[in-house]
Amino acid sequence: MSGDARNESAYLSGPIQREKFPRRARLLRHADFDEVYKRGRRHFCVHMTVFYLGREQEAGMRVGFTVGKVLGGAVVRNRMKRRLREAVRLEGFRPIAVDVVINPKKSLLTAEFPELRKEVGRAFQVIEQKLSEKRNP
């Protein structure tokens, strides 16, 4: 192995700088999930159902995921959450005060990632549009 090959492999295996999914952007408390389900609205997509509820206080989007046991074992459910988390991270958080809960469907497992990412982005656009209509009739 030449010196150049070693340097290249060391470069490839180094830490990758990327954006995170910050704690302030996550929906964590059970009470918050319940409030979104009870008082919020729904948007249906091919691979998921998105629940959302506008907030008056704090600015910024908070996102949570619910994946029921009916969709598969722990490994399958965690894979679904990882894919959704990455799609949300890549699509970016909107600067609107809203809580969002994403509930995937079984078809999410077989969906191509670019399609999933586009669906998440479209859902965020619809949510932003609906909330701006509600605030500015």
Side-chain angles (χ1 to χ4, degrees), residues 26-60:
R26 288 185 259 163
L27 202 58
L28 299 171
R29 292 181 26 224
H30 181 74
D32 292 337
F33 279 86
D34 277 350
E35 189 174 357
V36 172
Y37 282 131
K38 289 177 184 170
R39 295 185 37 227
R41 300 185 63 188
R42 288 179 288 204
H43 173 70
F44 297 98
C45 303
V46 175
H47 302 297
M48 66 189 86
T49 302
V50 181
F51 298 83
Y52 62 96
L53 177 64
R55 293 191 324 267
E56 295 301 322
Q57 67 276 19
E58 316 163 27

Short mmCIF file of all heavy atoms in Angstrom, two decimals, residues 26-60:
data_model
loop_
_atom_site.label_atom_id
_atom_site.label_comp_id
_atom_site.label_asym_id
_atom_site.label_seq_id
_atom_site.Cartn_x
_atom_site.Cartn_y
_atom_site.Cartn_z
N ARG A 26 -36.90 18.82 18.66
CA ARG A 26 -37.58 17.54 18.81
C ARG A 26 -38.78 17.67 19.73
O ARG A 26 -38.76 18.42 20.69
CB ARG A 26 -36.62 16.50 19.40
CG ARG A 26 -35.58 16.06 18.44
CD ARG A 26 -34.75 14.96 19.02
NE ARG A 26 -33.49 15.53 19.48
CZ ARG A 26 -32.66 14.93 20.32
NH1 ARG A 26 -32.96 13.76 20.82
NH2 ARG A 26 -31.54 15.51 20.66
N LEU A 27 -39.78 16.92 19.46
CA LEU A 27 -40.95 16.81 20.32
C LEU A 27 -40.69 15.62 21.22
O LEU A 27 -40.54 14.50 20.73
CB LEU A 27 -42.19 16.60 19.45
CG LEU A 27 -43.54 16.94 20.01
CD1 LEU A 27 -43.59 18.40 20.42
CD2 LEU A 27 -44.61 16.66 18.99
N LEU A 28 -40.60 15.83 22.54
CA LEU A 28 -40.14 14.78 23.43
C LEU A 28 -41.17 14.33 24.47
O LEU A 28 -41.23 13.15 24.81
CB LEU A 28 -38.86 15.23 24.16
CG LEU A 28 -37.67 15.54 23.25
CD1 LEU A 28 -36.56 16.18 24.06
CD2 LEU A 28 -37.18 14.28 22.58
N ARG A 29 -41.96 15.26 24.98
CA ARG A 29 -42.87 14.92 26.07
C ARG A 29 -44.14 14.25 25.57
O ARG A 29 -44.72 14.66 24.56
CB ARG A 29 -43.22 16.17 26.87
CG ARG A 29 -42.03 16.74 27.63
CD ARG A 29 -42.35 17.97 28.46
NE ARG A 29 -43.74 18.02 28.86
CZ ARG A 29 -44.48 19.13 28.80
NH1 ARG A 29 -43.99 20.24 28.36
NH2 ARG A 29 -45.75 19.11 29.19
N HIS A 30 -44.60 13.24 26.31
CA HIS A 30 -45.83 12.52 25.97
C HIS A 30 -47.01 13.48 25.89
O HIS A 30 -47.87 13.37 24.99
CB HIS A 30 -46.08 11.42 27.00
CG HIS A 30 -47.29 10.61 26.75
ND1 HIS A 30 -47.36 9.67 25.74
CD2 HIS A 30 -48.52 10.62 27.33
CE1 HIS A 30 -48.56 9.12 25.74
NE2 HIS A 30 -49.29 9.68 26.68
N ALA A 31 -47.07 14.43 26.80
CA ALA A 31 -48.17 15.40 26.82
C ALA A 31 -48.21 16.23 25.53
O ALA A 31 -49.29 16.57 25.03
CB ALA A 31 -48.03 16.32 28.03
N ASP A 32 -47.03 16.55 24.99
CA ASP A 32 -46.98 17.31 23.74
C ASP A 32 -47.52 16.49 22.57
O ASP A 32 -48.24 17.00 21.72
CB ASP A 32 -45.55 17.76 23.44
CG ASP A 32 -45.04 18.80 24.44
OD1 ASP A 32 -45.88 19.48 25.06
OD2 ASP A 32 -43.81 18.92 24.59
N PHE A 33 -47.17 15.21 22.52
CA PHE A 33 -47.69 14.32 21.48
C PHE A 33 -49.21 14.23 21.59
O PHE A 33 -49.92 14.34 20.58
CB PHE A 33 -47.08 12.91 21.61
CG PHE A 33 -45.72 12.77 21.02
CD1 PHE A 33 -44.59 13.08 21.77
CD2 PHE A 33 -45.53 12.31 19.72
CE1 PHE A 33 -43.32 12.95 21.24
CE2 PHE A 33 -44.27 12.17 19.18
CZ PHE A 33 -43.16 12.49 19.94
N ASP A 34 -49.71 14.03 22.81
CA ASP A 34 -51.16 13.93 23.02
C ASP A 34 -51.88 15.19 22.57
O ASP A 34 -52.94 15.12 21.94
CB ASP A 34 -51.46 13.68 24.50
CG ASP A 34 -51.35 12.22 24.88
OD1 ASP A 34 -51.23 11.38 23.96
OD2 ASP A 34 -51.37 11.92 26.09
N GLU A 35 -51.31 16.35 22.88
CA GLU A 35 -51.94 17.61 22.49
C GLU A 35 -52.02 17.74 20.97
O GLU A 35 -53.04 18.18 20.43
CB GLU A 35 -51.16 18.78 23.09
CG GLU A 35 -51.87 20.10 22.91
CD GLU A 35 -51.17 21.23 23.63
OE1 GLU A 35 -50.17 20.99 24.33
OE2 GLU A 35 -51.66 22.37 23.49
N VAL A 36 -50.96 17.34 20.28
CA VAL A 36 -50.96 17.41 18.81
C VAL A 36 -52.02 16.47 18.25
O VAL A 36 -52.77 16.83 17.34
CB VAL A 36 -49.57 17.08 18.23
CG1 VAL A 36 -49.62 16.97 16.72
CG2 VAL A 36 -48.55 18.12 18.65
N TYR A 37 -52.13 15.26 18.80
CA TYR A 37 -53.13 14.31 18.32
C TYR A 37 -54.55 14.80 18.59
O TYR A 37 -55.44 14.67 17.74
CB TYR A 37 -52.94 12.94 18.98
CG TYR A 37 -51.82 12.13 18.40
CD1 TYR A 37 -50.88 11.54 19.22
CD2 TYR A 37 -51.70 11.93 17.03
CE1 TYR A 37 -49.83 10.78 18.71
CE2 TYR A 37 -50.67 11.19 16.50
CZ TYR A 37 -49.74 10.61 17.34
OH TYR A 37 -48.73 9.87 16.81
N LYS A 38 -54.79 15.37 19.77
CA LYS A 38 -56.15 15.75 20.16
C LYS A 38 -56.61 17.07 19.54
O LYS A 38 -57.75 17.19 19.10
CB LYS A 38 -56.25 15.86 21.68
CG LYS A 38 -56.20 14.51 22.36
CD LYS A 38 -56.22 14.63 23.86
CE LYS A 38 -56.06 13.25 24.49
NZ LYS A 38 -55.84 13.34 25.93
N ARG A 39 -55.74 18.07 19.52
CA ARG A 39 -56.14 19.40 19.07
C ARG A 39 -55.63 19.77 17.68
O ARG A 39 -56.04 20.79 17.12
CB ARG A 39 -55.65 20.45 20.07
CG ARG A 39 -56.30 20.31 21.43
CD ARG A 39 -55.94 21.40 22.41
NE ARG A 39 -55.80 22.70 21.78
CZ ARG A 39 -54.78 23.53 22.00
NH1 ARG A 39 -53.80 23.18 22.81
NH2 ARG A 39 -54.72 24.71 21.41
N GLY A 40 -54.75 18.96 17.13
CA GLY A 40 -54.12 19.32 15.86
C GLY A 40 -54.90 18.88 14.64
O GLY A 40 -55.99 18.32 14.73
N ARG A 41 -54.31 19.16 13.49
CA ARG A 41 -54.89 18.78 12.20
C ARG A 41 -54.02 17.71 11.57
O ARG A 41 -52.91 17.45 12.04
CB ARG A 41 -54.96 20.01 11.31
CG ARG A 41 -55.84 21.10 11.95
CD ARG A 41 -56.04 22.26 11.05
NE ARG A 41 -56.76 21.82 9.86
CZ ARG A 41 -56.96 22.59 8.81
NH1 ARG A 41 -56.51 23.82 8.79
NH2 ARG A 41 -57.61 22.14 7.76
N ARG A 42 -54.52 17.10 10.49
CA ARG A 42 -53.80 16.01 9.82
C ARG A 42 -53.55 16.35 8.36
O ARG A 42 -54.36 17.01 7.73
CB ARG A 42 -54.59 14.72 9.89
CG ARG A 42 -54.64 14.10 11.25
CD ARG A 42 -55.46 12.86 11.21
NE ARG A 42 -56.87 13.23 11.05
CZ ARG A 42 -57.87 12.48 11.42
NH1 ARG A 42 -57.66 11.30 11.92
NH2 ARG A 42 -59.11 12.90 11.26
N HIS A 43 -52.44 15.82 7.88
CA HIS A 43 -52.13 15.88 6.45
C HIS A 43 -51.73 14.46 6.05
O HIS A 43 -50.82 13.88 6.65
CB HIS A 43 -50.99 16.87 6.19
CG HIS A 43 -50.52 16.85 4.77
ND1 HIS A 43 -51.28 17.32 3.73
CD2 HIS A 43 -49.38 16.38 4.24
CE1 HIS A 43 -50.61 17.16 2.60
NE2 HIS A 43 -49.45 16.59 2.88
N PHE A 44 -52.43 13.91 5.06
CA PHE A 44 -52.16 12.53 4.64
C PHE A 44 -51.23 12.51 3.44
O PHE A 44 -51.43 13.26 2.48
CB PHE A 44 -53.48 11.82 4.29
CG PHE A 44 -54.40 11.70 5.47
CD1 PHE A 44 -55.43 12.60 5.65
CD2 PHE A 44 -54.22 10.69 6.40
CE1 PHE A 44 -56.28 12.50 6.73
CE2 PHE A 44 -55.06 10.58 7.49
CZ PHE A 44 -56.09 11.49 7.66
N CYS A 45 -50.23 11.67 3.50
CA CYS A 45 -49.28 11.47 2.41
C CYS A 45 -49.29 9.98 2.05
O CYS A 45 -49.91 9.17 2.73
CB CYS A 45 -47.87 11.86 2.84
SG CYS A 45 -47.71 13.54 3.41
N VAL A 46 -48.56 9.63 1.01
CA VAL A 46 -48.50 8.25 0.55
C VAL A 46 -47.86 7.35 1.61
O VAL A 46 -48.35 6.27 1.91
CB VAL A 46 -47.72 8.15 -0.78
CG1 VAL A 46 -47.55 6.70 -1.20
CG2 VAL A 46 -48.43 8.94 -1.85
N HIS A 47 -46.74 7.80 2.19
CA HIS A 47 -45.97 6.96 3.10
C HIS A 47 -46.10 7.35 4.58
O HIS A 47 -45.45 6.74 5.42
CB HIS A 47 -44.49 6.99 2.71
CG HIS A 47 -44.24 6.54 1.31
ND1 HIS A 47 -44.52 5.27 0.88
CD2 HIS A 47 -43.77 7.20 0.24
CE1 HIS A 47 -44.21 5.17 -0.41
NE2 HIS A 47 -43.75 6.33 -0.82
N MET A 48 -46.92 8.37 4.87
CA MET A 48 -47.03 8.80 6.27
C MET A 48 -48.27 9.66 6.46
O MET A 48 -48.84 10.17 5.50
CB MET A 48 -45.80 9.60 6.67
CG MET A 48 -45.65 10.91 5.94
SD MET A 48 -44.09 11.73 6.22
CE MET A 48 -43.11 10.92 4.98
N THR A 49 -48.64 9.80 7.72
CA THR A 49 -49.65 10.77 8.11
C THR A 49 -48.95 11.77 9.00
O THR A 49 -48.22 11.39 9.91
CB THR A 49 -50.80 10.09 8.89
OG1 THR A 49 -51.37 9.07 8.06
CG2 THR A 49 -51.87 11.08 9.27
N VAL A 50 -49.16 13.05 8.74
CA VAL A 50 -48.49 14.10 9.48
C VAL A 50 -49.54 14.86 10.29
O VAL A 50 -50.49 15.40 9.73
CB VAL A 50 -47.74 15.06 8.54
CG1 VAL A 50 -47.01 16.13 9.32
CG2 VAL A 50 -46.77 14.29 7.66
N PHE A 51 -49.37 14.89 11.60
CA PHE A 51 -50.23 15.64 12.50
C PHE A 51 -49.50 16.93 12.85
O PHE A 51 -48.29 16.90 13.06
CB PHE A 51 -50.50 14.85 13.78
CG PHE A 51 -51.22 13.55 13.56
CD1 PHE A 51 -50.53 12.40 13.20
CD2 PHE A 51 -52.59 13.47 13.73
CE1 PHE A 51 -51.19 11.20 13.00
CE2 PHE A 51 -53.26 12.27 13.53
CZ PHE A 51 -52.56 11.14 13.16
N TYR A 52 -50.22 18.04 12.94
CA TYR A 52 -49.56 19.30 13.29
C TYR A 52 -50.48 20.21 14.08
O TYR A 52 -51.70 20.15 13.96
CB TYR A 52 -49.05 20.01 12.04
CG TYR A 52 -50.12 20.41 11.06
CD1 TYR A 52 -50.64 21.70 11.06
CD2 TYR A 52 -50.61 19.52 10.11
CE1 TYR A 52 -51.61 22.08 10.16
CE2 TYR A 52 -51.57 19.89 9.20
CZ TYR A 52 -52.08 21.17 9.23
OH TYR A 52 -53.05 21.53 8.34
N LEU A 53 -49.87 21.01 14.92
CA LEU A 53 -50.60 21.95 15.77
C LEU A 53 -49.76 23.20 15.93
O LEU A 53 -48.61 23.13 16.40
CB LEU A 53 -50.87 21.32 17.15
CG LEU A 53 -51.56 22.20 18.18
CD1 LEU A 53 -52.97 22.56 17.73
CD2 LEU A 53 -51.61 21.49 19.53
N GLY A 54 -50.31 24.34 15.53
CA GLY A 54 -49.60 25.61 15.66
C GLY A 54 -49.48 26.00 17.13
O GLY A 54 -50.36 25.69 17.94
N ARG A 55 -48.38 26.66 17.46
CA ARG A 55 -48.16 27.14 18.82
C ARG A 55 -48.13 28.66 18.80
O ARG A 55 -47.70 29.27 17.83
CB ARG A 55 -46.80 26.65 19.36
CG ARG A 55 -46.73 25.17 19.56
CD ARG A 55 -45.46 24.76 20.34
NE ARG A 55 -44.28 25.54 20.04
CZ ARG A 55 -43.36 25.22 19.13
NH1 ARG A 55 -43.52 24.16 18.38
NH2 ARG A 55 -42.30 25.98 18.94
N GLU A 56 -48.56 29.28 19.88
CA GLU A 56 -48.55 30.73 19.97
C GLU A 56 -47.21 31.22 20.51
O GLU A 56 -46.70 32.22 20.06
CB GLU A 56 -49.69 31.23 20.87
CG GLU A 56 -51.06 30.95 20.32
CD GLU A 56 -51.28 31.59 18.96
OE1 GLU A 56 -50.81 32.72 18.74
OE2 GLU A 56 -51.92 30.94 18.11
N GLN A 57 -46.66 30.54 21.49
CA GLN A 57 -45.41 30.98 22.10
C GLN A 57 -44.22 30.63 21.21
O GLN A 57 -44.30 30.81 20.02
CB GLN A 57 -45.25 30.43 23.52
CG GLN A 57 -45.07 28.94 23.65
CD GLN A 57 -46.35 28.12 23.67
OE1 GLN A 57 -47.39 28.56 23.24
NE2 GLN A 57 -46.27 26.91 24.15
N GLU A 58 -43.19 30.12 21.75
CA GLU A 58 -41.91 29.78 21.11
C GLU A 58 -41.97 29.65 19.59
O GLU A 58 -42.85 29.03 19.05
CB GLU A 58 -41.40 28.44 21.66
CG GLU A 58 -41.51 28.29 23.13
CD GLU A 58 -41.39 26.83 23.53
OE1 GLU A 58 -40.77 26.05 22.82
OE2 GLU A 58 -41.93 26.50 24.58
N ALA A 59 -41.00 30.25 18.95
CA ALA A 59 -40.88 30.11 17.50
C ALA A 59 -40.06 28.86 17.18
O ALA A 59 -39.26 28.41 17.99
CB ALA A 59 -40.22 31.34 16.90
N GLY A 60 -40.26 28.33 16.02
CA GLY A 60 -39.49 27.17 15.60
C GLY A 60 -40.31 25.90 15.58
O GLY A 60 -41.21 25.70 16.38
#
